[in-house]
Amino acid sequence: MKFSEFNFHENILESIAASGYEDATPVQEQVMPIIMAGKDVIASAQTGTGKTAAFLLPLLNNLLTGESNDHHISALIIVPTRELAIQISTHLDGLTYFTSLSSIAVYGGGDGQNFVQEKQALSKGADIVVSTPGKLIAHINMGYVKLKQLQYLVLDEADRMLDMGFHDDIMRIISNLPEKRQTLLFSATMPPKIRTLAQKILKNPEEINIAISKPPEKINQQAFIIYEPQKIPLVKHLLKDSPFKSILIFCSKKQNVKQLTRDLKRAGFNAEEIHSDLEQLQREEVLRSFANKRLPILVATDILSRGIDIDHIELVINFDVPHDGEDYVHRIGRTARAETDGTAYTFVTEKEQRRLAMIERLIGREVPKASVPPELGPVPSYNPGGSGGHGGKKKKFFHKKRKAGQ
């Protein structure tokens, strides 16, 4: 379906055309008409499906065609991380270029000037505010945030916010909002705690379910079974003469991010790191360089596993196996976005084998085991059953699933 068929305001269509977009994704096709009709929505959509535009475009359209108060906040988008707040704000800048709508991102880690700008927007009014929960609570506690005439509330990556312990902050924010509003809840997964939250804050919502906890089929997934000391040498081997021009490497620990980045730089690779120890301005500059293709290799903690809106990532390397299957899906979902293919490598030590087996059960398929270069030395056998067990249990599981036609 073409964007031109949605009856958007002419200024929105102009922004869409300038961005080079023509066809809506499935989640956009299903969600946008419901939002434009004024209904509450609870939606799950797999990463890379165009979810952000699915709520931004109808939101902007409704603000342009409806009534608004210049001295109040009209729409509030709550997100789990400052990186996602910045990305949505950047997306908004492009989509509102041909309009007079105002927006601001509110998040921690900024300087005094940022605080002054945030206070001015929150006290004098803005069309759209994108904020992390904790930072918005800090402003609300000072008594000047104009939320009483809010028309639209969006919770993006709601499952991630609950995982990060933001439930009470979210409910505190909502207690300051008018009951008469349109609420949109987006979540990559739909665990019971999301259902409970939805029952509290949504009114007769339309439910859209496009995502399941499986990565796109077009991602070439491979696992390397190795010992811990072989991880950095294997990264260097894979990156040497690599055809991939945009590479994102995930580590579960900050010290791994720092060590790997140091070793890659010493080996002559153009790589940078991003984690919570960096100043906010440093993190933004690194992410900007990666997004603009000036930086080919980015080493990151899970702070970027969700929400990063970069379409050109060709290879994702899991330096450490994620702690749960959902994180695995989100990590490798950073590649193969839009219409592109992608590749995902996962390094698996003896201690991480059981974790990989659990991930394979979640995604309903076995991740092919790749050959480790012989020059790296002997490697462990794949034995996810643990002490005294063997890999046959896992194979039997997949055989049963195929036999049952699942």
Side-chain angles (χ1 to χ4, degrees):
M1 188 172 179
K2 303 283 185 189
F3 281 110
S4 55
E5 300 177 55
F6 284 98
N7 196 31
F8 284 132
H9 188 281
E10 59 182 9
N11 290 355
I12 298 295
L13 291 174
E14 196 172 359
S15 297
I16 293 171
S19 301
Y21 298 122
E22 292 184 5
D23 299 311
T25 66
V27 68
Q28 291 165 353
E29 279 191 30
Q30 294 191 46
V31 170
M32 292 195 298
I34 297 172
I35 297 176
M36 292 171 73
K39 297 180 180 178
D40 284 8
V41 170
I42 176 172
S44 65
Q46 196 166 346
T47 185
T49 55
K51 168 173 58 70
T52 302
F55 65 78
L56 285 183
L57 288 170
L59 199 64
L60 296 173
N61 184 78
N62 289 357
L63 288 172
L64 285 172
T65 57
E67 295 181 4
S68 62
N69 189 322
D70 291 339
H71 303 295
H72 286 265
I73 298 165
S74 297
L76 173 62
I77 302 170
I78 305 176
V79 298
T81 66
R82 61 190 74 176
E83 279 72 24
L84 187 52
I86 293 167
Q87 286 178 35
I88 292 177
S89 182
T90 301
H91 205 156
L92 272 171
D93 289 342
L95 294 177
T96 59
Y97 186 81
F98 297 101
T99 77
S100 59
L101 295 174
S102 62
S103 65
I104 187 170
V106 176
Y107 51 86
D111 55 20
Q113 185 60 36
N114 279 7
F115 179 82
V116 171
Q117 292 174 345
E118 291 171 0
K119 180 179 179 180
Q120 184 173 14
L122 294 172
S123 59
K124 295 188 176 180
D127 291 305
I128 304 170
V129 171
V130 186
S131 182
T132 53
K135 186 64 172 180
L136 186 58
I137 287 287
H139 283 287
I140 288 174
N141 286 341
M142 296 182 189
Y144 49 71
V145 183
K146 296 287 187 69
L147 292 171
K148 292 302 181 184
Q149 293 190 35
L150 189 95
Q151 297 170 274
Y152 308 101
L153 170 66
V154 181
L155 300 183
D156 193 19
E157 300 284 5
D159 52 346
R160 191 63 165 177
M161 284 195 280
L162 295 191
D163 288 343
M164 294 170 70
F166 285 132
H167 177 273
D168 290 346
D169 284 350
I170 291 170
M171 297 311 297
R172 169 80 188 282
I173 292 168
I174 289 174
S175 71
N176 285 271
L177 307 182
E179 282 202 24
K180 187 179 179 182
R181 64 175 190 271
Q182 185 177 6
T183 304
L184 316 173
L185 187 153
F186 289 84
S187 182
T189 59
M190 285 292 163
K193 58 187 176 183
I194 288 293
R195 298 283 181 188
T196 301
L197 177 64
Q199 289 171 2
K200 292 178 184 176
I201 67 174
L202 300 176
K203 295 180 180 177
N204 302 316
E206 293 277 345
E207 182 167 346
I208 303 295
N209 290 298
I210 289 181
I212 51 175
S213 297
K214 294 183 180 180
E217 290 293 331
K218 54 190 175 182
I219 298 179
N220 171 26
Q221 302 176 60
Q222 295 184 50
F224 292 85
I225 311 304
I226 56 177
Y227 293 109
E228 187 72 34
Q230 295 173 313
K231 284 186 174 182
I232 291 180
L234 181 56
V235 172
K236 293 177 183 177
H237 175 87
L238 293 172
L239 298 187
K240 183 182 178 183
D241 302 321
S242 167
F244 302 112
K245 294 181 174 60
S246 183
I247 301 159
L248 181 56
I249 305 175
F250 284 112
C251 302
S252 296
K253 300 176 182 177
K254 281 185 286 191
Q255 52 263 45
N256 288 354
V257 170
K258 296 173 183 179
Q259 183 64 54
L260 176 57
T261 306
R262 279 196 298 268
D263 282 22
L264 288 177
K265 286 182 174 181
R266 286 183 191 135
F269 293 102
N270 183 7
E272 293 293 345
E273 62 197 75
I274 189 167
H275 48 75
S276 59
D277 283 354
L278 294 180
E279 293 293 329
Q280 181 60 26
L281 291 177
Q282 291 176 288
R283 290 159 66 177
E284 290 175 23
E285 179 55 35
V286 169
L287 193 55
R288 192 178 303 116
S289 296
F290 187 62
N292 294 338
K293 301 185 181 181
R294 297 195 305 270
L295 175 67
I297 304 169
L298 179 59
V299 186
T301 52
D302 274 324
I303 197 166
L304 287 186
S305 66
R306 304 188 187 209
I308 185 172
D309 191 18
I310 298 174
D311 289 339
H312 59 71
I313 299 171
E314 299 173 6
L315 171 65
V316 168
I317 297 177
N318 289 312
F319 188 82
D320 305 300
V321 179
H323 288 286
D324 61 59
E326 297 294 350
D327 284 338
Y328 176 83
V329 172
H330 281 283
R331 279 189 185 185
I332 74 170
R334 299 303 97 208
T335 186
R337 292 170 66 81
E339 298 303 317
T340 63
D341 293 330
T343 300
Y345 297 147
T346 301
F347 295 176
V348 188
T349 64
E350 288 179 296
K351 291 180 180 179
E352 297 171 308
Q353 289 185 14
R354 190 186 296 270
R355 208 180 294 165
L356 178 66
M358 292 174 64
I359 289 170
E360 290 176 320
R361 286 180 172 84
L362 174 75
I363 65 177
R365 60 176 286 192
E366 189 168 1
V367 178
K369 309 306 180 287
S371 298
V372 177
E375 58 264 34
L376 295 187
V379 297
S381 59
Y382 186 54
N383 182 20
S387 178
H390 55 79
K393 234 179 196 181
K394 175 178 64 64
K395 290 177 182 174
K396 189 183 291 184
F397 169 82
F398 284 102
H399 174 70
K400 279 184 177 178
K401 290 204 68 156
R402 283 196 295 269
K403 194 171 181 182
Q406 293 179 351

